[in-house]
Amino acid sequence: MDELDDAERRLDEAEESAVPETLSGGMRLIEEEFPEIPSLIYDGPFSEHIKDSRPKLLESEPLVSEEEARKAAAEFLGVDEDELEPMGLSEGIIPCYYFSCGEMTVEVTERGGVVMNFISSYAPGEANMTAADASAIAASFLAERGYDGMSESYHMIRGGVCTINYAYEQGGVLIYPDLIKVSVALDGGMVVGFESAGYISSHTARDLAGPAVSMEQA
């Protein structure tokens, strides 16, 4: 009887060890077949290199304190400074101070004190506005905050929110990497989101030469 029990025990141990061996063998096969997952070969506004590049807009800007960043966030959102609760400083290519303000969270760059993002958790009700209405509100929002020369590229509507994508325009040339997104709730026109990482990363003074050929020649 002891010999039978011992044989059953060895069988159970063999079955238990078989699963991890199969898994580890499968993982080794994946590593051999796919030793490295490359980045997409793409050079558009959403490409991988954008988030890894040094922000051109902030290159010559000084570092700001948390209080200075808080003031910049308050002015941008149109609220009192004491309504903003500090949430710390992030690291990365573009270090930012984080603040919360009711339903909103806002990021302000440590260098230059520029608002890079803000988002609201506001849940819109039934839509009573069109995309054109939202676009007008977003354009006015940008102009009031000093973003001149922004040209609307396209918009998306999801969950009662219209997000309008803008690119900087200079001398009739659309500088597509200089991107800003503004999100507007369609139940009343409240701006519930702003994103300018592309603009901060890419925007700089440019000396644009004229086209080498005419439109007819092209």
Side-chain angles (χ1 to χ4, degrees):
M1 183 66 105
D2 291 340
E3 292 179 358
L4 180 59
D5 291 340
D6 188 49
E8 289 178 349
R9 178 180 56 78
R10 290 199 301 274
L11 180 60
D12 289 341
E13 290 175 351
E15 290 175 346
E16 290 174 0
S17 63
V19 173
E21 180 62 29
T22 302
L23 289 173
S24 62
M27 293 302 292
R28 283 196 299 271
L29 178 61
I30 291 174
E31 290 176 358
E32 291 169 3
E33 294 294 328
F34 304 101
E36 182 177 346
I37 300 175
S39 297
L40 290 174
I41 302 173
Y42 170 63
D43 196 31
F46 308 108
S47 58
E48 191 74 10
H49 81 278
I50 293 296
K51 73 177 190 304
D52 296 328
S53 61
R54 296 293 174 182
K56 294 180 180 179
L57 183 70
L58 309 178
E59 283 180 339
S60 60
E61 296 296 322
L63 295 175
V64 302
S65 67
E66 185 176 71
E67 282 306 308
E68 290 172 319
R70 188 178 187 179
K71 180 179 180 180
E75 291 178 354
F76 189 91
L77 298 176
V79 300
D80 293 332
E81 289 183 43
D82 57 10
E83 295 182 53
L84 291 162
E85 184 70 24
M87 298 173 63
L89 176 67
S90 71
E91 298 180 353
I93 297 298
I94 308 179
C96 288
Y97 293 104
Y98 278 72
F99 302 93
S100 64
C101 179
E103 299 175 328
M104 294 182 289
T105 301
V106 58
E107 298 175 60
V108 181
T109 61
E110 181 188 27
R111 185 170 295 280
V114 178
V115 173
M116 186 167 75
N117 294 310
F118 91 79
I119 188 169
S120 171
S121 60
Y122 174 76
E126 185 177 353
N128 56 26
M129 303 174 62
T130 65
D133 296 330
S135 177
I137 292 170
S140 177
F141 179 87
L142 289 178
E144 290 171 359
R145 286 155 181 79
Y147 289 98
D148 299 319
M150 302 305 296
S151 178
E152 182 176 342
S153 176
Y154 65 95
H155 71 269
M156 297 181 297
I157 296 177
R158 180 178 297 175
V161 173
C162 182
T163 298
I164 304 99
N165 292 259
Y166 293 89
Y168 181 68
E169 185 174 341
Q170 178 180 331
V173 178
L174 201 62
I175 315 296
Y176 200 50
D178 296 15
L179 285 177
I180 295 178
K181 300 179 184 180
V182 181
S183 298
V184 179
L186 293 176
D187 66 344
M190 182 170 69
V191 176
V192 294
F194 171 85
E195 180 184 327
S196 65
Y199 187 90
I200 288 173
S201 295
S202 303
H203 189 66
T204 186
R206 294 178 173 92
D207 183 14
L208 301 178
V213 298
S214 67
M215 185 178 296
E216 291 73 17
Q217 289 172 318

